[in-house]
Amino acid sequence: MSMSRPLVMGVVNVTPDSFSDGGLYLDTERAIGHGRRLLDEGADILDIGGESTRPGATRPLAEEELGRVVPVITALAKDGAVVSVDTMRAEVAAAALDAGARIVNDVSGGLADPAILDVVAGSRATYVAMHWRAHSDRMQEFTSYDGPVADVVARELRERVAAIRAAGVPDDRIVLDPGLGFAKTGDQNWELLAGLDAVQELGLPVLVGASRKRFLGTLLAGPDGEPRPVDERELAHAAIVTVLAQRGVWGVRVHDVRATRDVLAVIERMEAEQ
């Protein structure tokens, strides 16, 4: 069966404390350079974020977040990149769109700052709504689900879709993200991936971000029980990308664009022989 290739969203964390590369690209010029490298490696979208959402992270001030992301977005958008802003704040989303972003990737799905929906509705931007229950410093207190995880996630996302539509954002500009790692245990992440059809059955494009997350490190733990280091989880992530591509997801959010494009090139070549 023929399938379309998932879009590859490359991550540019302009933060001091993101779990995978915190501090590496906090400097504006380094962040811009990293974004350009990801484009050269085949990223379709660059996701620029100025707030870490790793478990336990505290929020920066809005002024800090703006100062981190706006210069990077401005430069990369001028290069012609399709830029996404990873933010939960309406103020930051508005500034990012003015700077040239075309996508608002809101991990809270509009729950952290409902005004963000009005910002998106008043623009032509695509809106990515992730499944979310609480901010990073408390989210692991909310891992209780009253049924199969995928079914509950789909139900709660359906509620967010209703709010997004009510704000005036049309379906052709809505993308859903099941929120791996957000208010979910490691086992629940695997259950969610296995049951992803429940989210896809909502009838909207789906973005999945599994790259380098802790549940992969836990799966690959050594004899001492310590999770595999963050930068040694890419082969496991490649396996997930293979499965997700076959399931027809809209996009994958990744740190290693080159490896992901290699996986997708193999899938496309094999498909061409069938």
Side-chain angles (χ1 to χ4, degrees), residues 38-181:
L38 295 183
L39 288 174
D40 289 343
E41 292 173 357
D44 300 296
I45 302 165
L46 296 178
D47 194 38
I48 316 300
E51 175 180 352
S52 172
T53 52
R54 64 174 175 78
T58 56
R59 306 195 71 188
L61 297 174
E63 292 77 9
E64 291 178 292
E65 187 180 353
L66 284 164
R68 292 171 184 175
V69 302
V70 170
V72 179
I73 291 169
T74 299
L76 293 172
K78 284 182 178 178
D79 287 348
V82 177
V83 175
S84 164
V85 60
D86 179 357
T87 187
M88 292 181 273
R89 290 182 165 119
E91 177 184 359
V92 176
L97 294 175
D98 287 343
R102 301 190 221 173
I103 300 169
V104 174
N105 181 15
D106 177 4
V107 300
S108 81
L111 289 170
D113 185 354
I116 201 169
L117 302 181
D118 297 323
V119 170
V120 175
S123 72
R124 297 181 179 179
T126 295
Y127 183 65
V128 180
M130 197 190 76
H131 177 260
W132 184 89
R133 287 180 160 185
H135 285 292
S136 296
D137 59 347
R138 297 185 60 228
M139 65 182 177
Q140 293 310 108
E141 300 171 19
F142 296 87
T143 58
S144 178
Y145 290 79
D146 61 348
V149 174
D151 291 347
V152 177
V153 167
R155 184 180 74 216
E156 293 180 4
L157 279 174
R158 186 181 297 112
E159 294 170 357
R160 299 314 307 148
V161 170
I164 295 163
R165 288 169 174 160
V169 182
D171 282 12
D172 63 1
R173 292 201 277 121
I174 304 173
V175 175
L176 302 179
D177 182 336
L180 293 172

Side-chain angles (χ1 to χ4, degrees), residues 5-42:
R5 174 180 69 79
L7 296 175
V8 177
M9 176 184 277
V11 177
V12 181
N13 289 319
V14 194
T15 62
D17 56 347
S18 291
F19 79 95
S20 66
D21 52 13
L24 288 179
Y25 309 112
L26 182 58
D27 176 78
T28 297
E29 292 306 315
R30 292 191 64 163
I32 293 168
H34 182 57
R36 288 171 175 160
R37 283 191 296 275
L38 295 183
L39 288 174
D40 289 343
E41 292 173 357

